[in-house]
Amino acid sequence: DIYKFAYNDKTNYVQDYVILTKLPGPNSNNILFIISFHQIGRLTVINMLVDPIQTRKFEEEVRILMPSMPKYFEMLIEVKGYKETAMETKIVHLYPADSHFYLHNKAVK
């Protein structure tokens, strides 16, 4: 599948895609990547993760796709709205990530 950023200059309609990835990091930390084409996607996903009401809606949508939220995952989320106001969000893809993968911090000498 090919996804691209869509923006209409006349109506300010935005269709954005966000990659949300959670991976294990060094020192028993988790690393969360939030990547999108436009600010509307990033703002929507950040709000979804910090607002309790939005988090519950997000978790319900995940349960429809999978019986339980994987500890580490890769997710593609579609966000539609106007300028920086999301009107609709949808999880397009959700995959468990390999739990053996993690990022190493290596000092450059």
Side-chain angles (χ1 to χ4, degrees):
D1 295 332
I2 297 173
Y3 299 98
K4 67 177 191 169
F5 172 72
Y7 180 76
N8 185 317
D9 289 326
K10 294 176 184 171
T11 63
N12 293 318
Y13 175 79
V14 180
Q15 182 177 354
D16 196 8
Y17 290 92
V18 182
I19 298 171
L20 175 61
T21 304
K22 180 183 175 190
L23 298 171
N27 301 320
S28 300
N29 291 315
N30 292 314
I31 299 172
L32 198 62
F33 293 98
I34 303 171
I35 305 161
S36 69
F37 292 102
H38 195 268
Q39 188 168 342
I40 188 174
R42 288 187 304 276
L43 292 174
T44 300
V45 169
I46 290 168
N47 188 47
M48 186 172 63
L49 295 172
V50 299
D51 179 83
I53 295 170
Q54 294 299 320
T55 300
R56 280 192 291 277
K57 289 179 186 176
F58 171 67
E59 289 170 347
E60 288 171 13
E61 190 172 352
V62 167
R63 277 190 218 107
I64 292 169
L65 299 171
M66 292 190 157
S68 64
M69 185 69 168
K71 185 171 183 178
Y72 305 111
F73 57 86
E74 299 170 2
M75 184 181 301
L76 179 67
I77 303 168
E78 181 181 59
V79 179
K80 296 178 183 178
Y82 296 91
K83 290 191 178 184
E84 295 177 7
T85 304
M87 305 301 280
E88 180 183 342
T89 60
K90 175 185 173 188
I91 298 174
V92 179
H93 296 292
L94 172 59
Y95 301 104
D98 185 356
S99 62
H100 298 299
F101 175 87
Y102 64 93
L103 300 175
H104 293 280
N105 283 339
K106 293 184 178 180
V108 178
K109 294 182 181 181

